[in-house]
Amino acid sequence: MGTSGKARILVVDDEPNIRTLLRVCLEGAGYDVTLAASGEAAVAAARRSPPDLAFVDLRLGAMDGLALTRALAQEASTAAVVLITAYATIDNAVDAMRAGAVDFLPKPFTPAQVLHTVGKVLGQARLQQELSELKRAGGRGVHARFDTKSPAMQQALAFVLRAARTDATILLLGETGTGKGYLARHIHANSPRRDRAFVTVNCAVIAPSLIESELFGHAKGAYTGADRARAGHVEAAGGGTLFLDEVGDLPREAQGKLLRLLEEHEYVRVGETEPRRSEARVIAATHRDLRAAVATGTFREDLFYRLNVVTATLPPLRERREDLADLAEGIVADLAAQHQRGPFSLAPATLAALSAYAWPGNQRELVNVLERAVILAEGPVAHARPAPRGGARGGAGAGRARWGHARGRGAQAHRRRAGPRAHPRRRGPRARRRPLDALPQARALRASLRALSKGSRRRCTTRYERASPSGSSRSCSRCCWCRRSRSPRCDGWAGRSRRSCGRTTARSSPAWT
């Protein structure tokens, strides 16, 4: 789909009259039509601008309709293919379906038959896309509640919804879990591209070596294991919306290609040289400070300015306490329907506990707490309390209780012993720990060091300036290890009865003289 919202249709036929008839019929219905007289020309046209639907003649010459159908499945994976032919037989129809065609249109045909086929095929593709979107969203629930009382959230929503009607790139900022992904879907649903694909790419979970292939696709044989050509997420988005989540984690090597996509609406598959056209609208989101990343050199400055066309910052949940009760009730209703339980309501004490918490995990943490409450609820009232993390972020009383259980003396003892001992004292049969010298590895190491230094001690040539425990300045005996490593001088005392050399600070030096 182009920027105007028209579906793109590719017509491939070696007869000029058929191409002209289909072009007049389809353009009159408001579709964007591209004509091709051969299979090779059709593949080149699909690379430049992937179609939504292709009418392909069965007999084309060197590359017949079945071979072209298979090629289009690799070059434009989202394109639905309708084969047209004057030789309409059952065998040809079966071969067409096996090759990947979705319908079969016999010649001669009327404009009404063509428009009926187009409407049916595009409608099925739209339903399949919506089903895929619901499956991708399954298990998370639809918790996007944008009826807010927060002035900051109202301002952000009004700003991005004005931009949703355009093709401008939108950058969503905010802490993790504030609902940037839900807002991106909300923008897509309120845009002219609402009937097209919404493709999500999480840049933080894809390996840096695979990010270019995942985004832009690759050709057959582009690298080891690429046994066939594969379309990327940019091509799958088509004329819809491409949502780049955590774009701040995008490797610098792929940032240049993303910049080209935003500026020229072109991209190149890995292993190819011919550019392809993309009409996808880009929405990006990140919890990182991109200006700081630009200052440190981890994020391209020119890419930042291309993304920073329309920017909205989502406030954290702790700054939207006026929305917390309505948001929690809506999430509980969604989760009850998802788990086929309920309906449930939240007790007043539960709402008070939720309002007193600071929610460092924002909406993601709130969904986690409420989902546990819905699953464990035994009556019509769900009881939920957030699990505090301690400190100032835990809200009122968060550091003193964890799901109704007091934090005992072990945590206080742990805080008192934050120095040499990192763990509280254990009680029980495993309380006594083996000393370091009792370990077999330590005993073997000490024996090796004693054998190494035995009988080969020498006098240091440099005077040691610090006072020894007896109060006098002394020089140390130089051990074999110091001589072998050519250490210039000793570093001094390491306790009251152990000395250490500069290169062996964890081992005993020879005795002082």
Side-chain angles (χ1 to χ4, degrees):
M1 179 193 289
T3 57
S4 60
K6 297 180 180 179
R8 293 190 299 265
I9 298 180
L10 175 63
V11 176
V12 189
D13 200 300
D14 54 356
E15 297 183 20
N17 294 336
I18 298 296
R19 296 198 302 270
T20 303
L21 172 64
L22 289 174
R23 179 179 62 81
V24 172
C25 176
L26 295 173
E27 286 183 347
Y31 297 106
D32 186 4
V33 181
T34 302
L35 302 180
S38 63
E40 293 78 6
V43 171
R47 287 179 178 175
R48 290 192 301 269
S49 180
D52 300 301
L53 173 62
F55 282 98
V56 177
D57 190 17
L58 184 60
R59 297 190 177 183
L60 288 174
M63 178 183 290
D64 63 0
L66 298 179
L68 179 57
T69 300
R70 299 186 185 96
L72 289 177
Q74 294 185 351
E75 298 296 336
S77 58
T78 59
V81 177
V82 176
L83 283 175
I84 53 178
T85 183
Y87 307 94
T89 63
I90 295 179
D91 293 339
N92 288 339
V94 171
D95 293 340
M97 299 305 160
R98 288 177 178 175
V102 298
D103 207 342
F104 196 84
L105 185 63
K107 296 179 182 179
F109 46 78
T110 64
Q113 290 176 322
V114 173
L115 295 180
H116 174 74
T117 302
V118 171
K120 179 179 65 174
V121 172
L122 292 181
Q124 292 175 350
R126 189 178 302 113
L127 290 176
Q128 186 65 32
Q129 171 198 330
E130 293 175 356
L131 179 60
S132 300
E133 290 296 322
L134 290 175
K135 288 182 178 180
R136 280 196 290 267
R140 296 178 296 176
V142 184
H143 313 305
R145 303 279 173 168
F146 297 109
D147 297 331
T148 176
K149 303 174 185 176
S150 170
M153 192 65 180
Q154 289 176 353
Q155 181 180 2
L157 285 174
F159 191 49
V160 298
L161 289 181
R162 284 198 300 270
R165 296 187 289 269
T166 68
D167 293 325
T169 302
I170 298 178
L171 178 61
L172 304 178
L173 303 176
E175 297 179 7
T176 178
T178 51
K180 297 185 291 294
Y182 294 128
L183 183 55
R185 291 179 179 272
H186 191 59
I187 294 171
H188 174 74
N190 288 273
S191 71
R193 304 167 182 262
R194 65 177 65 90
D195 295 330
R196 308 305 301 165
F198 181 87
V199 178
T200 301
V201 182
N202 193 328
C203 303
V205 301
I206 303 177
S209 59
L210 299 177
I211 187 67
E212 293 187 21
S213 176
E214 291 292 326
L215 278 177
F216 308 110
H218 63 260
K220 181 178 180 180
Y223 53 85
T224 304
D227 53 350
R228 62 184 180 88
R230 180 179 180 275
H233 294 292
V234 174
E235 188 171 336
T241 301
L242 177 66
F243 176 50
L244 299 178
D245 197 9
E246 299 300 344
V247 71
D249 296 320
L250 188 69
R252 191 173 176 86
E253 295 76 12
Q255 294 176 16
K257 291 191 174 183
L258 177 59
L259 178 64
R260 180 181 182 181
L261 176 68
L262 295 175
E263 289 185 338
E264 305 175 9
H265 296 283
E266 289 183 349
Y267 67 97
V268 178
R269 281 186 178 182
V270 178
E272 290 184 353
T273 57
E274 185 178 353
R276 297 168 179 261
R277 187 76 179 169
S278 173
E279 299 294 342
R281 191 254 190 92
V282 176
I283 300 177
T286 182
H287 72 283
R288 299 187 181 276
D289 186 354
L290 292 185
R291 294 186 182 274
V294 170
T296 57
T298 59
F299 201 83
R300 292 179 60 124
E301 186 176 10
D302 48 4
L303 177 58
F304 170 72
Y305 290 131
R306 289 300 304 172
L307 291 173
N308 196 30
V309 177
V310 178
T311 305
T313 302
L314 276 65
L317 192 56
R318 60 181 174 273
E319 298 178 6
R320 297 175 53 196
R321 296 191 183 277
E322 59 269 28
D323 296 334
L324 192 57
D326 294 338
L327 185 63
E329 293 286 356
I331 292 175
V332 166
D334 291 340
L335 291 172
Q338 176 183 333
H339 293 288
Q340 299 181 357
R341 300 204 65 195
F344 297 104
S345 62
L346 293 174
T350 297
L351 292 175
L354 298 180
S355 300
Y357 188 56
W359 299 108
N362 295 297
Q363 292 190 40
R364 185 175 291 114
E365 185 178 5
L366 177 63
V367 172
N368 177 275
V369 171
L370 294 178
E371 185 171 13
R372 180 165 52 245
V374 167
I375 293 174
L376 299 180
E378 298 179 353
V381 179
H383 300 273
R385 292 186 64 185
R389 304 185 182 187
R393 300 184 69 186
R400 296 189 299 271
R402 180 179 180 88
W403 293 93
H405 298 283
R407 300 174 68 94
R409 291 186 297 271
Q412 300 176 3
H414 172 69
R415 287 192 292 269
R416 287 196 302 268
R417 290 191 296 268
R421 297 186 60 134
H423 302 281
R425 185 182 301 276
R426 293 185 179 180
R427 301 183 183 277
R430 298 184 61 185
R432 181 172 298 178
R433 299 181 179 180
R434 301 175 66 185
L436 180 63
D437 293 344
L439 297 177
Q441 298 88 342
R443 289 199 300 268
L445 178 61
R446 290 172 61 85
S448 300
L449 290 175
R450 284 196 298 268
L452 182 65
S453 60
K454 184 176 180 181
S456 59
R457 299 176 180 175
R458 297 187 177 184
R459 183 77 59 179
C460 287
T461 58
T462 305
R463 189 75 173 174
Y464 189 70
E465 301 299 336
R466 287 187 185 178
S468 64
S470 61
S472 60
S473 178
R474 297 185 178 185
S475 62
C476 68
S477 299
R478 199 170 188 176
C479 66
C480 181
W481 183 270
C482 290
R483 179 179 61 80
R484 292 171 63 89
S485 61
R486 298 181 181 178
S487 178
R489 59 182 297 175
C490 294
D491 284 344
W493 295 89
R496 299 185 63 87
S497 61
R498 291 169 63 90
R499 272 79 68 185
S500 64
C501 301
R503 299 300 294 269
T504 56
T505 56
R507 304 163 186 158
S508 296
S509 69
W512 289 69
T513 59

